[in-house]
Amino acid sequence: MDTDRVPDGWYEESDPEFIDRKYDPRPVTVFRHVDHGATLVAMPSEPNTEHAETDTYRLAVADEETSNFGDVEPFAEVRGDDEALDAAETFAAAYNAEGGGDAGIEAGKRAVADEQKTDRE
């Protein structure tokens, strides 16, 4: 994924060791907030199997730095990795505007939901 669009204060964790791409080459992208330690993950929703919807990505967030996907709370699904990056950008911008923390996470979730609603209309 082209991550140049992620707002200031966020960075992509390069090649996270905890992601095993041995059986699934689809991208899993992990973003971290520089100051607040929040973790934002864009990952495939379904396993890479013959009968799965393999183009759907899930966005999930944790209010702290984590490498455990059990700690991240899924909040949106989108079609395709570009759309996942767009949603991550929307989330990060709203998070920053709210000043981070729990309020920033809720603002980010709302912004992504609003964007998805607008796209459907």
Side-chain angles (χ1 to χ4, degrees):
M1 288 186 205
D2 171 21
T3 58
D4 293 340
R5 298 178 293 174
V6 176
D8 289 342
W10 291 83
Y11 67 95
E12 179 183 2
E13 184 174 44
S14 58
D15 200 22
E17 293 177 7
F18 63 93
I19 297 174
D20 181 9
R21 291 193 172 100
K22 183 176 180 179
Y23 299 108
D24 192 346
R26 294 174 298 166
V28 173
T29 307
V30 177
F31 299 101
R32 306 229 189 251
H33 193 276
V34 173
D35 297 324
H36 304 141
T39 301
L40 178 62
V41 181
M43 63 186 134
S45 292
E46 299 287 334
N48 195 16
T49 61
E50 184 177 335
H51 301 291
E53 178 62 55
T54 59
D55 196 33
T56 303
Y57 281 76
R58 176 177 51 217
L59 264 65
V61 65
D63 64 356
E64 59 190 16
E65 186 169 323
T66 184
S67 298
N68 180 354
F69 285 164
D71 292 341
V72 293
E73 175 191 346
F75 66 91
E77 284 196 352
V78 296
R79 301 237 345 128
D81 56 358
D82 272 348
E83 290 78 2
L85 184 56
D86 288 345
E89 179 183 16
T90 297
F91 176 92
Y95 179 93
N96 287 354
E98 192 63 37
D102 290 340
I105 288 174
E106 292 307 314
K109 289 178 186 179
R110 278 192 309 276
V112 170
D114 290 348
E115 184 175 83
Q116 288 181 315
K117 182 179 177 186
T118 301
D119 289 347
R120 284 191 297 262
E121 293 176 346

